[in-house]
Amino acid sequence: MQRLSPETLSTLPDHVKRPGYDRSQLKAGIVHLGIGAFHRGHQAVVNDAAMASSGDLRWGIVGVSLRSPDTRDALQAQSGLYTVSVLDVDEEGAPAEHLQVVGGLLKVLVASEDITAVLEQIAHEDTRIVSLTVTEKGYNREPATGALRTGDAEIVHDLAHANAPRSALGVIVRSLDLRRQRGLPPVTLLSCDNLPSNGDTLRGLVLALAEQIDPALASWISAQCSFPNAMVDRIVPRTTDADRARISEALGVEDAWPVVGESFLEWVVEDHFVAGRPDWHLGGARFVESAEPFERLKLRFVNAPQSTLAYLGASSGIETNNKVIAHAPFRRFVDRMMREEIAPTLGTIPGVDLDGFRARLLARVANPALPHRTQQVAMDGTQKIPQRLLGTIADRLRANQPITCLSLAVAAWIHYLRGGDAGVTGYSINDPLAAELAQRIADGDRQAAELSNPADAERCRVAVFTAYTALFGDLGRAPRFIDAVARHTRTLRELGVDETVSSLMTEQE
Ligand code: CS2
């Protein structure tokens, strides 16, 4: 089979959408750090639509992989072209797939192979925006406070070798230094990761690192560059070999790394761009003065239910989130958690009807055409749980409100870390702090072994675990929180996930 490439574009079937502009005229206005599936199925799609509608072609994208050459190796032979497959079900419930070839990605650089090329690309005069999807752990931050983890191995390295950085933060700081030294204009740094106030967070981390390298540089960045906050939303699971084969077959040419996603797409961005920006609103983005309410909605009302379903599912041996939510007790549980415990913490969000949003989210997760692996969503819990679940719990405890369902979500995570239900095998914990988590669980078990009353022993296990302040902050010492979680971890271990959730739902009816 021939490869997808500029030469084979004209051979694609008519139903495949193609770039609606002249690729040869593109300039590289955007450098994107973390060129994984999410960016390619989200920002790059909006950017393509905006360039096609506006004719402003200054916004081609140079992708950067910080470590792995995989994406570059797959896309180089395709001159950066790749397919986005939108997978939904039609009105009769049959899977429906729409294919689009995205053209805005010019090339992919691999920082671990050639850091100079990456730094020079950001320090190029055409670059106006540096955007990021490096996932939560790519920010080298303390999960509870968001502060720079100065003891982190990557940060220690970047402080010692500021000219050859490894972390995304180090790359940004060094390349901004080159821009400043060369008298080039500042750029906008745009985080597109699922973090609270992601732009402000990125700004704080970049400045903290820059300050230690050169305070004058920190002042320049602070005065010149902008860091808009943004809410991003689209379910984009990891591409499978079956996706590759099906999509290549439909194209009639091989695409080595297409991206699959749902039709739903949201991007709410604060309009603070110091060096101009594409007309992304022409591709479906919304520009606002403050993205904070939307980010909160996203983390608490989209990501928290997804994580909860993933922990319930992964620890009871269910492979994908659409299958987890197809199980009625799990669906009713998550619906109730959203309605009774999360929605009241969200306040009023302009233009958003929370009941409609909840129903739509449940339908999005249930999409049978788009299986999202529970283990994929379950990974990196330490980096996700604080903003997805713990903030909501802390708000509710402050207001003296029940946390029955939310504490079960946290307990399900702990149950997952302990290996899940009896008989569920074959997974390992994928988390940058996995060793610390395992140590806490072992310490809790050792201390609990000294207690004869099973309820006291369980409480002790949970208290030792949640005393991990870098993760839980003060919440981890709150007796109401510890009691609520311990009640559930005990039943999860004794009865398993299904019975715990089912009996909770019956009990509350
Ligand atoms: C998911 C997200 O993997 C995960 O942690 O919760 O990738 C989620 O699908 C997206 O944020 C949806 O916008």
Side-chain angles (χ1 to χ4, degrees), residues 363-383:
R364 289 171 59 198
V365 175
N367 182 354
L370 196 67
H372 200 181
R373 291 181 58 76
T374 48
Q375 293 291 358
Q376 190 190 346
V377 181
M379 71 188 275
D380 295 343
T382 56
Q383 311 295 304

Side-chain angles (χ1 to χ4, degrees), residues 38 42 136 193-194 231-237 262 264 266 298-299 302-307 310 321 361 364 372-380 384 388:
F38 185 76
H42 185 268
E136 295 87 345
D193 281 295
N194 290 312
M231 180 276 256
V232 294
D233 195 3
R234 185 176 220 183
I235 298 178
V236 182
E262 60 178 340
F264 181 94
E266 277 255 40
K298 167 70 197 323
L299 292 164
V302 176
N303 291 136
Q306 282 182 308
S307 287
N321 259 5
L361 183 270
R364 289 171 59 198
H372 200 181
R373 291 181 58 76
T374 48
Q375 293 291 358
Q376 190 190 346
V377 181
M379 71 188 275
D380 295 343
K384 297 175 176 174
R388 295 186 181 198

Side-chain angles (χ1 to χ4, degrees), residues 23 116 248 354 372 417:
R23 279 190 95 211
T116 309
S248 297
L354 285 182
H372 200 181
L417 295 174

Side-chain angles (χ1 to χ4, degrees), residues 1 5 27 30 39 46 90 109 112 164 228 246 258 262 311 455 458-459 471:
M1 213 182 222
S5 69
K27 280 189 167 182
I30 300 172
H39 167 79
V46 174
D90 65 18
L109 304 173
S112 57
R246 188 189 63 252
E262 60 178 340
Y311 293 123
E458 192 61 31
R459 203 181 175 284
L471 198 59

Side-chain angles (χ1 to χ4, degrees), residues 100-138:
Q100 166 183 4
V101 173
V102 171
L105 180 62
L106 296 168
K107 62 179 169 185
V108 177
L109 304 173
V110 181
S112 57
E113 287 180 8
D114 188 354
I115 186 63
T116 309
V118 174
L119 299 172
E120 288 299 329
Q121 191 67 47
I122 300 179
H124 192 281
E125 58 183 9
D126 286 346
T127 300
R128 294 151 182 274
I129 295 173
V130 177
S131 51
L132 298 83
T133 44
V134 291
T135 80
E136 295 87 345
K137 64 174 173 267

